[in-house]
Amino acid sequence: YIDFRGESRYNRDFAASVSLLPSPFSDKSVLSAVSHPVSSRRTKMDWQGQKLAEQLMQILLVAFAVVAFATGYTIGSFQTMILIYAGGVVLTTLVTVPNWPFFNRHPLKWLDPIEAEKHPKLQPQQPSSSSKKKSSKK
Amino acid sequence: MHTFGYRANALLTLGVTILALMCAMASFSDNFSLPSPSAHVQVLNVNWFQKQRNGNDEVSLTLNISADLQSAFTWNTKQVFVFLAAEYDTTKNSLNQISLWDAIIPSKEHAKFSIHTTNKYRLTDQGSNLRGKEFNLTLHWHVMPKTGKMFADKIVMTGYHLPEDYR
């Protein structure tokens, strides 16, 4: 789920904003002040977190179903089985559906702003023209 | 799993699928119950025995029905529907089944019963074949589940006779 359009748009906007800002500081400190990428606004869970959420959801639901069935069958109460399972569904919802912080422990590292600004010709249809090739310009 | 809506949908779908599987297993577990029911019916009195204007025989009985269907209840039983049928044959029909009485047993506690009643539904023949007729009284029951398959069974009681003449 990487949005190339967003990334290049960010880079262009960023480069434009840097040139307009008057600053007594060095280039590096100005860049770092506006360095947090807006791309994080869409994915509040990182890849590892999404996988964890899916696994937790499956394991929790199956575990509660097994416990619910075993208890209901042993006691001889259908209602008990349904209640235990319903409780399990609610708990699983609370654990896996909201985007808790522990689902975002491995956030993606976007391109460093200094790198991006050095290669303004970075286009989505030319993925091969990457920063690696142009690093000789440094 | 990238958005709230996606995860909520996934959880709902998986949750309902697992619930369906649990209900299927609960229904399957009913196969392992071996009920041992018992029943006894007494015809206490033949109240009247007439030939109707349309030519059909009709009889009214007072019955004492006692049965123990407690072993038919499982953890997956919603209720047991029980009915008593009179069965006999005639030249016109090889089998006549006439429901005389029925009831719903809502729980195991109510499943052992003994009642004294006249027939709830009319015992009317197709024709006038009932004089001196020998018939069976069969107690049928349907075990209606909370989920899944319904089981039905019966007990046949033989040796009942109707009077030779109208009363």
Side-chain angles (χ1 to χ4, degrees):
Chain A
Y1 194 72
I2 297 176
D3 184 354
F4 280 108
R5 284 194 310 275
E7 197 178 339
S8 57
R9 198 185 324 128
Y10 159 72
N11 293 331
R12 259 184 281 114
D13 292 344
F14 173 76
S17 66
V18 163
S19 57
L20 287 170
L21 271 175
S23 169
F25 308 112
S26 70
D27 272 3
K28 274 200 173 158
S29 56
V30 167
L31 290 169
S32 62
V34 293
S35 66
H36 288 287
V38 294
S39 47
S40 67
R41 73 170 176 268
R42 278 219 251 176
T43 49
K44 302 238 174 76
M45 256 196 208
D46 59 57
W47 293 115
Q48 305 276 51
Q50 291 176 31
K51 180 178 170 182
L52 178 65
E54 182 171 14
Q55 285 177 334
L56 266 180
M57 186 190 292
Q58 291 169 342
I59 290 170
L60 280 176
L61 282 178
V62 171
F64 269 99
V66 167
V67 168
F69 186 84
T71 311
Y73 184 72
T74 315
I75 294 183
S77 165
F78 194 89
Q79 191 179 22
T80 304
M81 174 176 90
I82 295 294
L83 285 175
I84 293 177
Y85 183 65
V89 169
V90 169
L91 181 75
T92 308
T93 311
L94 291 173
V95 169
T96 63
V97 175
N99 45 9
W100 299 113
F102 66 83
F103 286 127
N104 208 17
R105 277 193 292 223
H106 305 271
L108 284 174
K109 270 194 82 178
W110 292 99
L111 260 186
D112 191 38
I114 296 173
E115 278 292 325
E117 205 233 348
K118 281 199 169 181
H119 310 290
K121 287 185 186 166
L122 194 68
Q123 297 290 335
Q125 61 264 31
Q126 295 166 8
S128 56
S129 59
S130 64
S131 54
K132 287 173 197 163
K133 276 190 185 172
K134 294 192 176 175
S135 58
S136 55
K137 279 191 180 175
K138 284 189 219 176
Chain B
M1 294 287 158
H2 48 76
T3 54
F4 183 97
Y6 190 122
R7 289 191 298 278
N9 178 52
L11 186 141
L12 197 67
T13 309
L14 187 61
V16 169
T17 306
I18 290 177
L19 180 67
L21 280 170
M22 284 201 298
C23 288
M25 291 200 308
S27 178
F28 184 73
S29 76
D30 275 352
N31 287 310
F32 301 119
S33 88
L34 302 164
S36 52
S38 62
H40 180 67
V41 178
Q42 248 183 309
V43 177
L44 294 171
N45 190 32
V46 177
N47 303 326
W48 43 265
F49 185 4
Q50 300 286 333
K51 183 171 180 169
Q52 304 301 328
R53 282 210 199 144
N54 52 23
N56 296 333
D57 282 351
E58 190 179 327
V59 63
S60 167
L61 305 167
T62 300
L63 304 157
N64 187 330
I65 308 167
S66 62
D68 179 4
L69 293 170
Q70 287 187 322
S71 55
F73 276 81
T74 69
W75 72 305
N76 185 32
T77 301
K78 169 93 172 68
Q79 63 197 17
V80 170
F81 176 72
V82 60
F83 67 97
L84 184 73
E87 294 172 356
Y88 59 91
D89 55 20
T90 59
T91 48
K92 187 177 173 201
N93 305 315
S94 61
L95 176 64
N96 300 276
Q97 280 176 312
I98 299 150
S99 179
L100 300 178
W101 167 88
D102 56 28
I104 291 176
I105 305 174
S107 66
K108 197 169 180 170
E109 291 73 42
H110 297 96
K112 190 169 182 180
F113 62 92
S114 175
I115 63 157
H116 184 120
T117 178
T118 59
N119 47 313
K120 203 169 169 185
Y121 307 109
R122 290 172 188 255
L123 207 178
T124 309
D125 187 33
Q126 287 182 332
S128 60
N129 306 297
L130 291 183
R131 275 161 296 176
K133 199 59 161 172
E134 185 174 336
F135 62 100
N136 293 340
L137 284 174
T138 310
L139 190 75
H140 297 253
W141 63 91
H142 294 298
V143 181
M144 298 163 73
K146 291 193 164 105
T147 77
K149 184 171 180 256
M150 183 174 84
F151 293 83
D153 204 355
K154 63 187 181 188
I155 289 180
V156 183
M157 291 159 279
T158 58
Y160 301 90
H161 292 268
L162 284 173
E164 300 289 340
D165 296 308
Y166 292 126
R167 296 187 192 174

